[in-house]
Amino acid sequence: MTLELANRLVALRRAHHMSQEELADRLGISRQAVSKWERAEASPDTDNLIALSKLYGVTLDELIRGEAPVAETEVGAETAPEDVPSGDDCADDEIDPDNPLPKGSFFDHLEQQRRARYPYPVLVALLYLVLGFVFHLWHPGWIIFLTIPLYYLPASQRSPIRLLSNPVMITIIYLLLGCYCNLWHPGWLIFFAIPLLNAVIKD
């Protein structure tokens, strides 16, 4: 990795008012990896280069070859590393509003990629076997399989009120009411919560 690219990565990160920790968190990597990139001790792989280009709103050519370098006044080249805001001081909604990447799209995609690395369906299957063999809860233990699509929801869809408006979550609640409390009726009325909650939720 060239020193020129390393300096460009530093400039772009500072231009978007992010610390190394915040950038690392958004890319799903360690802060040490970001630090090595910026000291020209290591190079980002292809996936991370694509992620960086989308995050900064530049093309890969601009990122790698510097065809459209970041203006020094925009970067604040004289800013000391310790002056870079921490992750706590740079909330998502404080990022440069000119950034063409809207909140809830690319970062949701990265979050989904991180979650896809964990074998959640396998863990659910193992838990189901434990419930069945140890506690004899084959039924209604199978309901836990419905949590799999909830696990892979984008981060922006996992707030409590959005989960309650999710048809899968409502179905889980209905099945639990029916199986454990024998409230199949009037428990079905809970499905009316879906359009009602969606009506009050504002994107």
Side-chain angles (χ1 to χ4, degrees):
M1 179 169 175
T2 65
L3 186 60
E4 180 184 2
L5 176 56
N7 290 335
R8 194 174 304 117
L9 292 177
V10 174
L12 286 166
R13 176 175 59 78
R14 291 180 179 174
H16 287 77
H17 311 293
M18 285 189 289
S19 65
Q20 289 183 345
E21 291 83 355
E22 186 175 3
L23 177 59
D25 182 64
R26 292 183 175 179
L27 295 178
I29 59 176
S30 67
R31 186 200 62 79
Q32 289 77 11
V34 174
S35 179
K36 287 183 178 180
W37 296 347
E38 296 184 355
R39 295 198 305 268
E41 295 178 359
S43 300
D45 60 23
T46 303
D47 289 341
N48 282 321
L49 285 172
I50 294 172
L52 286 167
S53 70
K54 290 181 179 178
L55 175 60
Y56 295 142
V58 297
T59 65
L60 281 174
D61 282 342
E62 291 170 344
L63 180 67
I64 297 172
R65 299 188 179 89
E67 293 180 357
V70 180
E72 184 172 302
T73 55
E74 180 185 2
V75 173
E78 295 160 357
T79 303
E82 59 269 20
D83 293 332
V84 178
S86 67
D88 294 334
D89 296 330
C90 288
D92 284 348
D93 56 357
E94 294 173 344
I95 295 175
D96 184 359
D98 294 328
N99 187 347
L101 186 64
K103 177 182 177 182
S105 57
F106 176 62
F107 297 130
D108 277 347
H109 177 65
L110 286 181
E111 175 67 15
Q112 286 179 304
Q113 283 186 328
R114 284 198 294 267
R115 284 179 166 255
R117 295 173 188 160
Y118 300 99
Y120 184 74
V122 175
L123 295 178
V124 169
L126 292 175
L127 178 58
Y128 176 63
L129 293 175
V130 171
L131 290 174
F133 285 116
V134 178
F135 301 102
H136 304 289
L137 288 175
W138 301 104
H139 173 75
W142 56 269
I143 293 175
I144 64 173
F145 284 101
L146 295 179
T147 65
I148 294 175
L150 295 178
Y151 176 82
Y152 292 105
L153 283 175
S156 59
Q157 298 293 321
R158 290 198 303 272
S159 64
I161 190 169
R162 286 190 177 276
L163 281 177
L164 285 176
S165 68
N166 187 285
V168 176
M169 178 61 80
I170 293 295
T171 302
I172 292 174
I173 295 173
Y174 173 64
L175 291 173
L176 291 174
L177 288 174
C179 294
Y180 282 105
C181 306
N182 200 28
L183 288 176
W184 302 104
H185 175 76
W188 58 269
L189 292 172
I190 195 174
F191 286 98
F192 285 107
I194 299 174
L196 291 176
L197 287 172
N198 283 328
V200 298
I201 293 174
K202 294 183 178 179
D203 295 325

